């Protein structure tokens, strides 16, 4: 028997860093599969990958190996809305191989390249702007017949983070706009952009080329609060006519729009209280719910280009659906029946691609990392075609999640997944429950998936339990569950996390004296408030706070990026009318209540949660008087919101473990 936190394990911080991140932005290109994947060992860049013959594994042939489309230093990523959006598009061609356009993170320009043409190098399609954050591009759609790529243009008009506009735009493929901003054609009518909102997604053109659809929303709404599906007719020269709203509104969230092969307009909307798939009447008449269920067929639209459903050529629709976790199914719109794919995968990313009868997605499970999985709808057969999961260590060191529902104040249900310590070579002292760390996910409009995560295994294999809490406000459980957080951020999330911690202690699963809380971004806020709020007084012995919000009263307007600059109006209240509410919940203003050790982690290039908040928080703590609170503050040059570099991840994970060992007495 060994003290918790000291169990020998092959899962070290370098292994965690090597497996950080997952494939994203999957698409089908003429029978091939393309996607981006993380490269922590290459400075955290995103590589664009290509699988030339994904059907090989299905047919029994030796499977092809994926190849990188672009060498270092090309980083296929953008910063539209700061979190980025779909960064690439490609189309097959009869000669010369595919044509690819992509955004490069280094300069945010849009590039084109013919990767199969010998000697072809990426050539810029868009110019550089020295104004504010410059020009950014996302969610591209190639229209070779018009020699254009249509996408979202995000343009800074001044030096402030909120001096920004977004419109659907057409960029010529001949490179004429590379040095000339005027050559970019905004999709407008009479000089007025048809976007019609502070935020827009990329345009979707109907199969007959006569209509274009997109989503739009305005401050202070976030896309999960209320969005509008806009539709416009296209003239023969590709100019949109007057835009009309055909679905959605201030209290209805439309998460995705696509055209089916037969010209039907499909969208996911939460008009029923759940994100369900609807057929939309382009004339503005009532939409038809194709599968009315108290399940989610969509999720929070954090990044333009996310895809929870994909129409197939035969009229059926590949869908992701469920409560909490989402599974892959095929929906028959005529009957409303859904046939689910088989396999061990319990979580699917918003990145569906279709090709003929094939549906391909990115999926994971409690015992597998994210893989690229193909479903042949003609046979019902599912198989992994790329990013195959391999166990770097004995799976006996992996934790096994236990779904839990606990009761929080007011009798509300709170969902969580609990990961007890697990190690085939060690166990803790008899009669001594293990320490536990409560993980608060980011967002806060998001959800923690129950998938294999070596960072969780890093702690559980050492004898420290982890509980991920999908507190009120999380997605996956309907609009009413999301709106529990409205006006109550810093209350409901704190109470729900504490309820899970107390439930584990009350039942004897966790040591009441050795509980911790950790989180990043919005989860960093929840962790910080939990350590400074009476609602969680005496629950936690320490905490880890990563790239957090610490001053809600200053985290608005020009103090953060435009996308979330008014997010807190829904989460807390109006900064002026509800100023006292902001002050009551602010970790910086309540630093004197913090009495337990903590670790604070921050990227110095973070445009979302700037490091100045951490510095002012620590200054407030130092000026609070009393006994100094033990803490460690680590900053990382070159890191933004969330850590991508292997060396950063290693240092952060090891520092967190050291905090728990010191606090829990596990040395």
């Amino acid at each position: 028997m060994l003290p918790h936190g000291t169990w020998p394990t092959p899962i070290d911080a370098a292994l965690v860093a090597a497996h950080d991140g997952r494939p994203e932005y999957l698409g089908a290109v003429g029978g091939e599969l393309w996607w981006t994947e993380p490269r922590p060992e290459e400075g955290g860049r995103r590589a664009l990958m290509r699988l030339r013959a994904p059907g090989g594994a299905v047919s029994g042939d030796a499977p092809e190996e994926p190849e990188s489309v672009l060498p270092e230093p090309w980083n296929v990523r953008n910063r539209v809305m700061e979190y980025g959006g779909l960064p690439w598009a490609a189309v097959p061609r009869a000669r010369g191989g595919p044509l690819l356009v992509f955004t490069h993170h280094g300069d945010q320009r849009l590039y084109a390249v013919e990767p199969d043409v010998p000697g072809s190098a990426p050539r810029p399609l868009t110019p550089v702007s020295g104004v504010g954050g410059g020009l950014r591009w996302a969610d591209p759609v190639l229209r070779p017949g018009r020699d254009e790529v249509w996408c979202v243009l995000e343009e800074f008009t001044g030096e402030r983070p909120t001096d920004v506009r977004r419109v659907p735009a057409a960029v010529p493929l001949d490179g004429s706009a590379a040095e000339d901003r005027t050559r970019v054609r905004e999709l407008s009518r009479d000089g007025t952009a048809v976007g019609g909102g502070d935020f827009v997604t990329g345009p979707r053109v109907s199969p007959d080329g006569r209509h274009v659809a997109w989503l739009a929303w305005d401050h202070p709404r976030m896309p999960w609060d209320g969005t509008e599906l806009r539709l416009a007719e296209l003239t023969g020269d590709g100019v949109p006519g007057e835009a009309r709203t055909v679905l959605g509104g201030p209290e209805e969230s439309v998460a995705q729009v696509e055209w089916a092969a037969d010209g039907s307009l499909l969208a996911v909307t939460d008009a029923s209280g759940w994100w369900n798939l609807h057929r939309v009447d382009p004339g503005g008449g009532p939409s038809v719910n194709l599968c009315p269920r108290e399940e989610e067929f969509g999720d929070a639209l954090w990044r333009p280009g996310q895809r929870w459903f994909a129409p197939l050529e035969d009229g059926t629709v590949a869908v992701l659906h469920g409560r909490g976790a989402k599974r892959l199914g095929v929906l028959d719109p005529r009957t409303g029946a859904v046939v689910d794919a088989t396999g061990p995968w319990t979580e699917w990313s918003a990145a569906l691609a279709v090709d003929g009868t094939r549906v391909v997605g990115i999926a994971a499970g409690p015992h597998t990392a994210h893989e690229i999985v193909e479903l042949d709808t003609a046979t019902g057969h599912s198989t992994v075609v790329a990013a195959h999961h391999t166990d770097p260590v004995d799976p006996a060191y992996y934790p096994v999640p236990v779904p839990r529902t606990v009761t929080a104040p007011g009798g509300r249900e709170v969902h969580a997944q609990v990961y007890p310590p697990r190690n085939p070579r060690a166990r803790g002292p008899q009669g001594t429950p293990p320490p536990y760390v409560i993980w608060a996910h980011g967002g806060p409009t998001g959800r923690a998936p129950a998938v294999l995560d070596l960072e969780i295994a890093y702690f559980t294999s050492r004898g420290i339990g982890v509980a991920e809490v999908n507190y009120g406000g999380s997605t996956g459980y309907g609009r009413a569950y999301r709106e529990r957080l409205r006006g109550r951020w810093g209350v409901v999330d704190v109470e729900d996390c504490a309820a899970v911690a107390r439930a584990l202690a009350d039942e004897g699963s966790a040591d009441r004296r050795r509980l911790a809380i950790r989180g990043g971004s919005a989860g960093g806020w929840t962790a910080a408030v939990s350590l400074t709020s009476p609602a969680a007084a005496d629950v936690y012995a320490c905490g880890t706070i990563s790239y957090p919000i610490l001053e809600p009263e200053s985290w608005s307007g020009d103090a953060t990026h435009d996308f979330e600059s008014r997010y807190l109006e829904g989460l807390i209240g109006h900064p002026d009318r509800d100023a006292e509410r902001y002050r009551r919940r602010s970790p910086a203003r309540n630093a004197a209540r913090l009495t337990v050790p903590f670790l604070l982690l921050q990227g110095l290039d973070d445009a979302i949660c700037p490091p100045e908040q951490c510095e002012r928080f620590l200054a407030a703590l130092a000026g609070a008087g009393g006994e100094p609170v033990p803490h460690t503050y680590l900053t990382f040059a070159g890191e933004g919101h969330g850590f991508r570099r292997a060396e950063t991840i290693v240092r952060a994970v090891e520092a967190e473990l050291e905090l728990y060992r010191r606090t829990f007495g596990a040395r």
Side-chain angles (χ1 to χ4, degrees), residues 219-220 487 551-560 564-586 589:
H219 281 308
E551 291 180 326
E553 60 271 37
S554 68
W555 195 78
S556 61
D558 294 329
T560 185
E564 294 181 282
S565 62
R566 298 183 66 181
Y567 193 6
L568 299 193
E569 292 185 30
L571 293 173
I572 298 178
H574 192 278
D576 297 328
R577 293 193 302 269
D578 303 301
E580 179 57 30
R581 189 185 298 170
Y582 278 74
R583 286 191 287 269
R584 285 199 309 268
R585 299 180 194 173
S586 169
R589 289 183 178 269

Side-chain angles (χ1 to χ4, degrees), residues 385-474:
V385 295
H388 297 72
H389 171 78
T390 58
D391 292 309
V393 300
D394 184 346
Y397 288 95
Y398 299 159
V400 178
V402 180
R404 293 291 303 273
T405 302
V406 305
T407 302
R412 63 180 183 265
E413 289 187 343
V414 180
H415 302 286
Q417 46 248 8
V418 177
Y419 297 85
R422 186 168 185 247
N423 186 310
R425 297 175 52 203
R427 58 178 178 169
Q430 189 172 0
T432 303
Y436 259 82
V437 183
I438 304 298
W439 285 29
H441 65 70
T445 311
R447 188 178 64 86
V451 301
L452 177 62
D453 184 339
L454 289 185
E455 189 171 6
I456 292 177
Y458 178 84
F459 296 103
T460 57
S461 65
R462 285 171 168 78
I464 300 173
V466 169
E468 292 187 299
V469 182
N470 286 314
Y471 47 81
S474 300

Side-chain angles (χ1 to χ4, degrees), residues 580-662:
E580 179 57 30
R581 189 185 298 170
Y582 278 74
R583 286 191 287 269
R584 285 199 309 268
R585 299 180 194 173
S586 169
R589 289 183 178 269
N590 294 295
R593 294 177 179 164
L594 205 161
T595 60
V596 300
F598 67 93
L599 170 66
L600 184 58
L601 304 170
Q602 178 67 48
L604 294 179
D605 293 347
D606 193 338
I608 296 172
C609 293
E612 290 78 14
Q613 285 201 61
C614 291
E615 294 160 9
R616 290 194 291 267
F617 172 75
L618 293 175
L621 181 65
E627 289 292 321
V629 177
H631 66 273
T632 301
Y633 179 41
L634 298 180
T635 61
F636 302 97
E639 291 283 12
H641 198 65
F643 303 145
R644 297 176 180 273
R645 298 179 176 179
E647 60 270 25
T648 302
I649 297 167
V650 167
R651 191 177 181 202
V653 168
E654 290 180 342
E656 186 174 353
L657 177 62
E658 181 60 24
L659 169 69
Y660 302 148
R661 283 180 166 170
R662 287 198 313 267

Side-chain angles (χ1 to χ4, degrees), residues 54 57-58 345 372-375 381-385:
V58 179
W345 309 283
I372 296 179
V373 180
E374 175 188 299
L375 166 67
H381 183 70
S382 299
T383 189
V384 178
V385 295

